[in-house]
Amino acid sequence: MPWRRPEAGAWGVMVSEFMLQQTPVSRVLPVYEQWLARWPRPADLAAEAPGEAVRAWGRLGYPRRALRLHGAAVAITERHGGDVPRDHAQLLALPGIGEYTAAAVASFAYGQRHPVLDTNVRRVFARAASGIQYPPNATTAAERRLARALLPDDEATAARWAAASMELGALVCTARNEDCGRCPVARQCAWRLAGKPAHDGPARRGQTYAGTDRQVRGKLLAVLREAVGPVPRAVLDRVWDEPVQRARALDGLVSDGLVEPLENDRFRLPLT
DNA sequence: GACTCGTGGAA
DNA sequence: TTTCCAAGAGT
C-alpha cells in the first residue's frame, strides 16, 4: 500500500487512516493518491475551504470524516507547526482521531509501541486467542488487556507486530472465507483447534440503508459535490420525494457543517 | 452501551 | 435479490 512506503510520511499515514475508517482499501487508493498530490502537507489542506475537502472526498462515504480531516490539518498547522504530532495524547486531541487512529499513526508513522486494535486485529485475537469466531460488537476492556499483553516489548518489533497483525486479519483471517492454509499461527489458533464453532449470540444487527436519513443525506451531498455554484433548494428537492425526511436530512447536513445555507434558499459546500 | 453516520462490491 | 461488511469516531 502507498501509505506503507517510507515516503508517505506521517501525513500520508494519517490521511490513509482517516479514509480507511469503514471504507475498503480498493476504494481508498485512487482518492488517496489525488488527495496527497493536491495537499502534500497539512498546511496545504488547512489553507483550503472545508467544502473542498468534502468535494475531494468523493464517494468514500461518511463525509464528516473529510470535515474532521480538514479540521485536524488546521489544528496541526496552528498548534504543531505543520507537523503531524508524534505524541499519542496530542494525536488523540485532533478531530476525527480516536483510540485506534492515534495508535495507528503513532505506530505506523513513528514506529512507537502502541496496541493497535482495529476490527482486523480484534478478529485475529478473538479466533487465535479466545477461540471464538467474531469479537464483541464493541471493544471490551478484556480485549485491550489482551492486546497489551501480546504486544512485543521492543518498540520497533511492536510497530512491526501492529502492522503484521492487521495484515493477517485483512488478508488471511478474514471475516468470511478465512484461509487457514496461509496462516502462520494456524497450529496455535484456539478457534481452529476447537473445530471453528460458529458465532453464537445475537447476529450483528444489519444496517438497512434504503430509506434511511443517511441515504437522503448522501443524495443531497452528491448534488452539492457536483455543483459549481450555489444550489437552489428546488434542485435539492428532486433527490427525495418525502418532504419531512428530506428537510430533516438537509438540516442535519447543515448542523454538521457539511452544507452552508445561503440567502434566497440556496446551499453550497462550506467555505468556512 | 446504544445510535448515528455513506457507499458499493461480493457472497 | 438480499445480506453482509470494510484499517471508527462522536454524541
Side-chain angles (χ1 to χ4, degrees), chain A residues 51-52 55 220-232 235-236 267-269:
Chain A
E52 282 308 297
R55 198 188 308 277
L220 290 169
L221 209 56
V223 172
L224 290 161
R225 276 199 309 266
E226 299 305 316
V228 179
V231 175
V235 173
L236 293 176
F267 301 87
R268 70 180 173 200
L269 298 181

PDB file of all heavy atoms in Angstrom, chain A residues 51-52 55 220-232 235-236 267-269:
ATOM      1  N   GLY A  51     -15.194  22.862   2.431  1.00  0.00           N
ATOM      2  CA  GLY A  51     -16.027  22.275   1.383  1.00  0.00           C
ATOM      3  C   GLY A  51     -15.219  21.607   0.284  1.00  0.00           C
ATOM      4  O   GLY A  51     -15.685  20.653  -0.346  1.00  0.00           O
ATOM      5  N   GLU A  52     -14.010  22.103   0.056  1.00  0.00           N
ATOM      6  CA  GLU A  52     -13.158  21.463  -0.946  1.00  0.00           C
ATOM      7  C   GLU A  52     -12.724  20.079  -0.490  1.00  0.00           C
ATOM      8  O   GLU A  52     -12.567  19.161  -1.300  1.00  0.00           O
ATOM      9  CB  GLU A  52     -11.946  22.341  -1.249  1.00  0.00           C
ATOM     10  CG  GLU A  52     -12.262  23.494  -2.167  1.00  0.00           C
ATOM     11  CD  GLU A  52     -12.985  23.017  -3.443  1.00  0.00           C
ATOM     12  OE1 GLU A  52     -12.386  22.253  -4.210  1.00  0.00           O
ATOM     13  OE2 GLU A  52     -14.162  23.400  -3.624  1.00  0.00           O
ATOM     14  N   ARG A  55     -15.654  17.891  -1.104  1.00  0.00           N
ATOM     15  CA  ARG A  55     -15.790  17.592  -2.531  1.00  0.00           C
ATOM     16  C   ARG A  55     -14.767  16.536  -2.965  1.00  0.00           C
ATOM     17  O   ARG A  55     -15.095  15.582  -3.667  1.00  0.00           O
ATOM     18  CB  ARG A  55     -15.613  18.873  -3.353  1.00  0.00           C
ATOM     19  CG  ARG A  55     -16.150  18.781  -4.776  1.00  0.00           C
ATOM     20  CD  ARG A  55     -15.764  20.007  -5.618  1.00  0.00           C
ATOM     21  NE  ARG A  55     -16.120  21.270  -4.985  1.00  0.00           N
ATOM     22  CZ  ARG A  55     -17.331  21.819  -5.040  1.00  0.00           C
ATOM     23  NH1 ARG A  55     -18.288  21.211  -5.705  1.00  0.00           N
ATOM     24  NH2 ARG A  55     -17.566  22.963  -4.440  1.00  0.00           N
ATOM     25  N   LEU A 220     -28.340  14.190  -1.264  1.00  0.00           N
ATOM     26  CA  LEU A 220     -28.239  15.649  -1.214  1.00  0.00           C
ATOM     27  C   LEU A 220     -26.793  16.104  -1.412  1.00  0.00           C
ATOM     28  O   LEU A 220     -26.502  16.997  -2.218  1.00  0.00           O
ATOM     29  CB  LEU A 220     -28.767  16.162   0.128  1.00  0.00           C
ATOM     30  CG  LEU A 220     -30.274  16.051   0.368  1.00  0.00           C
ATOM     31  CD1 LEU A 220     -30.611  16.348   1.826  1.00  0.00           C
ATOM     32  CD2 LEU A 220     -31.039  16.994  -0.562  1.00  0.00           C
ATOM     33  N   LEU A 221     -25.896  15.472  -0.692  1.00  0.00           N
ATOM     34  CA  LEU A 221     -24.498  15.889  -0.765  1.00  0.00           C
ATOM     35  C   LEU A 221     -23.897  15.587  -2.135  1.00  0.00           C
ATOM     36  O   LEU A 221     -23.025  16.330  -2.615  1.00  0.00           O
ATOM     37  CB  LEU A 221     -23.702  15.192   0.348  1.00  0.00           C
ATOM     38  CG  LEU A 221     -22.494  15.967   0.871  1.00  0.00           C
ATOM     39  CD1 LEU A 221     -22.916  17.340   1.348  1.00  0.00           C
ATOM     40  CD2 LEU A 221     -21.806  15.204   1.972  1.00  0.00           C
ATOM     41  N   ALA A 222     -24.371  14.539  -2.772  1.00  0.00           N
ATOM     42  CA  ALA A 222     -23.866  14.206  -4.114  1.00  0.00           C
ATOM     43  C   ALA A 222     -24.167  15.340  -5.086  1.00  0.00           C
ATOM     44  O   ALA A 222     -23.323  15.698  -5.918  1.00  0.00           O
ATOM     45  CB  ALA A 222     -24.486  12.899  -4.596  1.00  0.00           C
ATOM     46  N   VAL A 223     -25.354  15.926  -4.962  1.00  0.00           N
ATOM     47  CA  VAL A 223     -25.713  17.051  -5.829  1.00  0.00           C
ATOM     48  C   VAL A 223     -24.800  18.242  -5.552  1.00  0.00           C
ATOM     49  O   VAL A 223     -24.278  18.880  -6.476  1.00  0.00           O
ATOM     50  CB  VAL A 223     -27.191  17.450  -5.606  1.00  0.00           C
ATOM     51  CG1 VAL A 223     -27.522  18.732  -6.342  1.00  0.00           C
ATOM     52  CG2 VAL A 223     -28.111  16.325  -6.036  1.00  0.00           C
ATOM     53  N   LEU A 224     -24.571  18.505  -4.275  1.00  0.00           N
ATOM     54  CA  LEU A 224     -23.754  19.669  -3.917  1.00  0.00           C
ATOM     55  C   LEU A 224     -22.286  19.477  -4.293  1.00  0.00           C
ATOM     56  O   LEU A 224     -21.593  20.442  -4.612  1.00  0.00           O
ATOM     57  CB  LEU A 224     -23.890  19.939  -2.417  1.00  0.00           C
ATOM     58  CG  LEU A 224     -25.273  20.461  -2.019  1.00  0.00           C
ATOM     59  CD1 LEU A 224     -25.523  20.288  -0.531  1.00  0.00           C
ATOM     60  CD2 LEU A 224     -25.422  21.926  -2.422  1.00  0.00           C
ATOM     61  N   ARG A 225     -21.809  18.251  -4.246  1.00  0.00           N
ATOM     62  CA  ARG A 225     -20.417  17.988  -4.655  1.00  0.00           C
ATOM     63  C   ARG A 225     -20.211  18.285  -6.141  1.00  0.00           C
ATOM     64  O   ARG A 225     -19.161  18.776  -6.547  1.00  0.00           O
ATOM     65  CB  ARG A 225     -20.050  16.519  -4.383  1.00  0.00           C
ATOM     66  CG  ARG A 225     -19.596  16.221  -2.984  1.00  0.00           C
ATOM     67  CD  ARG A 225     -18.834  14.893  -2.932  1.00  0.00           C
ATOM     68  NE  ARG A 225     -19.557  13.810  -3.562  1.00  0.00           N
ATOM     69  CZ  ARG A 225     -20.344  12.959  -2.922  1.00  0.00           C
ATOM     70  NH1 ARG A 225     -20.511  13.073  -1.630  1.00  0.00           N
ATOM     71  NH2 ARG A 225     -20.951  11.985  -3.568  1.00  0.00           N
ATOM     72  N   GLU A 226     -21.209  17.959  -6.928  1.00  0.00           N
ATOM     73  CA  GLU A 226     -21.080  18.131  -8.369  1.00  0.00           C
ATOM     74  C   GLU A 226     -21.317  19.579  -8.803  1.00  0.00           C
ATOM     75  O   GLU A 226     -20.886  19.985  -9.876  1.00  0.00           O
ATOM     76  CB  GLU A 226     -22.068  17.217  -9.113  1.00  0.00           C
ATOM     77  CG  GLU A 226     -21.838  15.737  -8.842  1.00  0.00           C
ATOM     78  CD  GLU A 226     -20.413  15.307  -9.148  1.00  0.00           C
ATOM     79  OE1 GLU A 226     -19.877  15.709 -10.206  1.00  0.00           O
ATOM     80  OE2 GLU A 226     -19.821  14.595  -8.312  1.00  0.00           O
ATOM     81  N   ALA A 227     -22.026  20.335  -7.969  1.00  0.00           N
ATOM     82  CA  ALA A 227     -22.394  21.696  -8.357  1.00  0.00           C
ATOM     83  C   ALA A 227     -21.190  22.630  -8.304  1.00  0.00           C
ATOM     84  O   ALA A 227     -20.337  22.522  -7.429  1.00  0.00           O
ATOM     85  CB  ALA A 227     -23.498  22.206  -7.440  1.00  0.00           C
ATOM     86  N   VAL A 228     -21.138  23.563  -9.232  1.00  0.00           N
ATOM     87  CA  VAL A 228     -20.076  24.562  -9.244  1.00  0.00           C
ATOM     88  C   VAL A 228     -20.418  25.710  -8.296  1.00  0.00           C
ATOM     89  O   VAL A 228     -19.599  26.115  -7.491  1.00  0.00           O
ATOM     90  CB  VAL A 228     -19.845  25.101 -10.671  1.00  0.00           C
ATOM     91  CG1 VAL A 228     -18.751  26.164 -10.655  1.00  0.00           C
ATOM     92  CG2 VAL A 228     -19.485  23.963 -11.610  1.00  0.00           C
ATOM     93  N   GLY A 229     -21.626  26.211  -8.409  1.00  0.00           N
ATOM     94  CA  GLY A 229     -22.052  27.324  -7.577  1.00  0.00           C
ATOM     95  C   GLY A 229     -23.138  26.919  -6.604  1.00  0.00           C
ATOM     96  O   GLY A 229     -23.385  25.726  -6.410  1.00  0.00           O
ATOM     97  N   PRO A 230     -23.787  27.901  -5.978  1.00  0.00           N
ATOM     98  CA  PRO A 230     -24.879  27.624  -5.051  1.00  0.00           C
ATOM     99  C   PRO A 230     -26.024  26.872  -5.727  1.00  0.00           C
ATOM    100  O   PRO A 230     -26.305  27.082  -6.911  1.00  0.00           O
ATOM    101  CB  PRO A 230     -25.334  29.028  -4.623  1.00  0.00           C
ATOM    102  CG  PRO A 230     -24.130  29.886  -4.826  1.00  0.00           C
ATOM    103  CD  PRO A 230     -23.437  29.329  -6.026  1.00  0.00           C
ATOM    104  N   VAL A 231     -26.680  26.005  -4.943  1.00  0.00           N
ATOM    105  CA  VAL A 231     -27.753  25.172  -5.462  1.00  0.00           C
ATOM    106  C   VAL A 231     -29.079  25.582  -4.824  1.00  0.00           C
ATOM    107  O   VAL A 231     -29.180  25.610  -3.592  1.00  0.00           O
ATOM    108  CB  VAL A 231     -27.480  23.689  -5.167  1.00  0.00           C
ATOM    109  CG1 VAL A 231     -28.650  22.821  -5.608  1.00  0.00           C
ATOM    110  CG2 VAL A 231     -26.184  23.238  -5.834  1.00  0.00           C
ATOM    111  N   PRO A 232     -30.083  25.926  -5.629  1.00  0.00           N
ATOM    112  CA  PRO A 232     -31.400  26.270  -5.074  1.00  0.00           C
ATOM    113  C   PRO A 232     -32.043  25.066  -4.389  1.00  0.00           C
ATOM    114  O   PRO A 232     -31.829  23.923  -4.810  1.00  0.00           O
ATOM    115  CB  PRO A 232     -32.220  26.677  -6.304  1.00  0.00           C
ATOM    116  CG  PRO A 232     -31.212  26.930  -7.374  1.00  0.00           C
ATOM    117  CD  PRO A 232     -30.049  26.054  -7.082  1.00  0.00           C
ATOM    118  N   VAL A 235     -33.755  22.436  -6.482  1.00  0.00           N
ATOM    119  CA  VAL A 235     -32.949  21.388  -7.132  1.00  0.00           C
ATOM    120  C   VAL A 235     -32.695  20.227  -6.169  1.00  0.00           C
ATOM    121  O   VAL A 235     -32.787  19.052  -6.538  1.00  0.00           O
ATOM    122  CB  VAL A 235     -31.611  21.980  -7.632  1.00  0.00           C
ATOM    123  CG1 VAL A 235     -30.690  20.886  -8.147  1.00  0.00           C
ATOM    124  CG2 VAL A 235     -31.878  23.024  -8.703  1.00  0.00           C
ATOM    125  N   LEU A 236     -32.410  20.574  -4.910  1.00  0.00           N
ATOM    126  CA  LEU A 236     -32.182  19.538  -3.910  1.00  0.00           C
ATOM    127  C   LEU A 236     -33.454  18.731  -3.654  1.00  0.00           C
ATOM    128  O   LEU A 236     -33.397  17.542  -3.346  1.00  0.00           O
ATOM    129  CB  LEU A 236     -31.695  20.181  -2.605  1.00  0.00           C
ATOM    130  CG  LEU A 236     -30.322  20.833  -2.670  1.00  0.00           C
ATOM    131  CD1 LEU A 236     -29.997  21.518  -1.345  1.00  0.00           C
ATOM    132  CD2 LEU A 236     -29.242  19.818  -3.017  1.00  0.00           C
ATOM    133  N   PHE A 267     -27.907  26.720  -1.322  1.00  0.00           N
ATOM    134  CA  PHE A 267     -26.975  25.956  -0.474  1.00  0.00           C
ATOM    135  C   PHE A 267     -25.693  25.637  -1.247  1.00  0.00           C
ATOM    136  O   PHE A 267     -25.695  25.569  -2.471  1.00  0.00           O
ATOM    137  CB  PHE A 267     -27.640  24.651  -0.011  1.00  0.00           C
ATOM    138  CG  PHE A 267     -28.900  24.867   0.769  1.00  0.00           C
ATOM    139  CD1 PHE A 267     -30.132  24.997   0.111  1.00  0.00           C
ATOM    140  CD2 PHE A 267     -28.876  24.959   2.155  1.00  0.00           C
ATOM    141  CE1 PHE A 267     -31.305  25.206   0.826  1.00  0.00           C
ATOM    142  CE2 PHE A 267     -30.046  25.168   2.874  1.00  0.00           C
ATOM    143  CZ  PHE A 267     -31.260  25.294   2.207  1.00  0.00           C
ATOM    144  N   ARG A 268     -24.619  25.443  -0.488  1.00  0.00           N
ATOM    145  CA  ARG A 268     -23.357  25.043  -1.105  1.00  0.00           C
ATOM    146  C   ARG A 268     -22.502  24.313  -0.066  1.00  0.00           C
ATOM    147  O   ARG A 268     -22.796  24.349   1.139  1.00  0.00           O
ATOM    148  CB  ARG A 268     -22.601  26.269  -1.624  1.00  0.00           C
ATOM    149  CG  ARG A 268     -22.062  27.142  -0.500  1.00  0.00           C
ATOM    150  CD  ARG A 268     -21.317  28.361  -1.018  1.00  0.00           C
ATOM    151  NE  ARG A 268     -20.962  29.240   0.092  1.00  0.00           N
ATOM    152  CZ  ARG A 268     -20.661  30.533  -0.052  1.00  0.00           C
ATOM    153  NH1 ARG A 268     -20.672  31.077  -1.260  1.00  0.00           N
ATOM    154  NH2 ARG A 268     -20.344  31.266   0.997  1.00  0.00           N
ATOM    155  N   LEU A 269     -21.413  23.726  -0.540  1.00  0.00           N
ATOM    156  CA  LEU A 269     -20.447  23.149   0.391  1.00  0.00           C
ATOM    157  C   LEU A 269     -19.776  24.287   1.151  1.00  0.00           C
ATOM    158  O   LEU A 269     -19.601  25.370   0.609  1.00  0.00           O
ATOM    159  CB  LEU A 269     -19.411  22.311  -0.367  1.00  0.00           C
ATOM    160  CG  LEU A 269     -19.969  21.119  -1.131  1.00  0.00           C
ATOM    161  CD1 LEU A 269     -18.841  20.357  -1.828  1.00  0.00           C
ATOM    162  CD2 LEU A 269     -20.737  20.181  -0.209  1.00  0.00           C
TER     163      LEU A 269
END
